[in-house]
Every structure is written in structure tokens, then in C-alpha cells.
Amino acid sequence: MNEYYPPNFDPAKIPQRRKPENQQMKVRMMLPMSIRCATCGNYIYKGTKFNSRKEDVLGERYLGIQISRFYFKCTKCSAELTIKADPKNSDYVVEAGATRVD
């Protein structure tokens, strides 16, 4: 907030950081639906918080909206579970490692 910028400061000279096209980032999210782990049968309920990895699905867009995929681990057996955003239906789809319960 209170930073000094000298009169000859030119923001165009700051090098721009390049990121890989399919970079994954760590996010903290809440599970949007109840699911059951396919490996151990553990139920994971809606609203459970997870540290997850988020990536943009390359080549998939819906009306200009980038579709995202989330990877997280089962709380009991640490198997990897995957869900994908479905903006067409304003929902999420379980892709791998689990089945939807609700």
C-alpha cells in the first residue's frame, strides 16, 4: 500500500513471468458434493475442505469459460480423486477414483 515509486519508474520494464500452459496450482477448496471413494469405500461429505491441485483442461471451454479439473486425496486411503467443473449445468462431474452419492 505505502510503496515508493521514483519519478522515472517505468512498469513496462518489469519482466513478465511466463508460466507453463498446463500449470497446476495448489488451492484450498470445499467439496461441492458428497462422494464415495472407489478404493476403500469411505464416504466424503459435502463441505469437507481439501488442499487440492487445480489445472485448466486444455482445449475445453464452454461459452468462453475455461473448464478446471481438481485433484485431491481420499481422507482414509490417500487414493487420488478427480473432479471436473461443468459450467453448462453449473455443477461438477466426478471423473476418477470416486462415485457421486447425492
Side-chain angles (χ1 to χ4, degrees):
M1 296 288 288
N2 295 326
E3 295 179 10
Y4 172 72
Y5 295 103
N8 61 351
F9 176 74
D10 185 12
K13 292 182 180 178
I14 298 175
Q16 296 295 321
R17 193 175 69 151
R18 303 282 182 216
K19 64 178 184 175
E21 198 169 306
N22 196 15
Q23 178 183 355
Q24 292 184 349
M25 60 188 298
K26 293 179 181 175
V27 294
R28 180 117 173 127
M29 67 172 287
M30 238 181 227
L31 203 58
M33 68 231 160
S34 296
I35 60 174
R36 184 176 184 197
C37 178
T39 306
C40 67
N42 183 34
Y43 286 92
I44 307 170
Y45 299 102
K46 179 179 179 177
T48 305
K49 290 184 180 178
F50 285 97
N51 291 322
S52 64
R53 291 178 294 135
K54 175 190 163 207
E55 73 175 6
D56 293 333
V57 180
L58 296 178
E60 287 192 40
R61 288 183 170 271
Y62 175 73
L63 299 177
I65 299 169
Q66 181 63 49
I67 297 176
S68 299
R69 181 178 288 129
F70 299 92
Y71 300 95
F72 54 96
K73 295 196 179 280
C74 174
T75 55
K76 187 174 181 183
C77 69
S78 296
E80 188 168 73
L81 312 174
T82 307
I83 61 173
K84 184 168 93 172
D86 182 15
K88 183 177 183 180
N89 299 316
S90 300
D91 201 12
Y92 290 86
V93 177
V94 178
E95 279 196 321
T99 54
R100 191 171 181 153
V101 175
D102 56 8

